[in-house]
Amino acid sequence: MTFSIVARAVDPGTGEPTWGVAVASKFLAVGSAVPAAVAGVGAIATQAEANVAYKGLALAHLDDGATASVALERLLEEDERRDHRQVGIVDVDGNAASHTGPSCFAWAGGRTGSTEDGAYAIQGNILTGPEVVEAMEAAWLASSPEEPLQHRLLAALAAGDEAGGDSRGRQSAALLV
């Protein structure tokens, strides 16, 4: 019921790394459940059967020096409902990790990647199809590192919406940088 992008990029004005999350959903008040980010640490989106405890736990793992993939592994290993979860994480060094549990409602999936100025994790569930995630990734990769992170995140989110987005419609969105 949700699609999101978690990313790290270099701020063109300051030259400093920035982290952010953009998310849209049929779920009301999606911004209260899905995104979290801390400057100098990383960012996370937890969705599908969201485990809001993941936000603090993942950021604590990242703050202790874990990479995105190690933080994700730690979250999932202790969670009996991991097959119902979807998570995207980007760490301080620009590594990305994403998980889509096999019990997430279709269509569900994600992509991760890196760019010269950072990394991204894109994921979604209950989407019209894989074209939503593909459009988000294409928009992110086409965006200029000279643009502020919030503009790049919104462009990716808009592309996902234009490609079909949440198969049940729109109700809320959030942006955290």
Side-chain angles (χ1 to χ4, degrees):
M1 70 174 154
T2 303
F3 54 102
S4 67
I5 177 169
V6 181
R8 176 200 182 269
V10 175
D11 182 276
T14 66
E16 297 294 321
T18 56
W19 293 263
V21 182
V23 57
S25 182
K26 172 69 168 124
F27 182 79
L28 187 61
V30 71
S32 67
V34 172
V38 172
V41 175
I44 178 173
T46 176
Q47 56 198 51
E49 191 176 296
N51 182 343
V52 295
Y54 272 12
K55 296 189 298 185
L57 292 170
L59 292 169
H61 292 316
L62 295 174
D63 196 34
D64 286 342
T67 63
S69 59
V70 169
L72 179 60
E73 186 179 302
R74 289 177 182 167
L75 294 176
L76 298 174
E77 71 187 5
E78 298 176 13
D79 186 356
E80 293 178 10
R81 302 285 299 162
R82 66 185 154 269
D83 288 351
H84 301 268
R85 314 272 193 224
Q86 193 169 48
V87 184
I89 302 174
V90 175
D91 65 30
V92 69
D93 294 320
N95 301 300
S98 184
H99 165 78
T100 299
S103 296
C104 289
F105 293 120
W107 189 90
R111 293 181 176 209
T112 61
S114 60
T115 58
E116 63 184 58
D117 71 330
Y120 61 90
I122 300 169
Q123 44 283 315
N125 63 88
I126 313 181
L127 302 181
T128 57
E131 65 276 0
V132 175
V133 170
E134 292 164 3
M136 292 175 72
E137 182 178 45
W140 176 259
L141 294 173
S143 68
S144 169
E146 297 304 313
E147 292 180 72
L149 178 59
Q150 61 269 25
H151 295 179
R152 298 171 72 189
L153 291 170
L154 285 176
L157 201 64
D161 189 54
E162 289 173 18
D166 189 318
S167 64
R168 298 168 310 149
R170 298 181 213 136
Q171 194 152 354
S172 69
L175 174 66
L176 174 64
V177 176

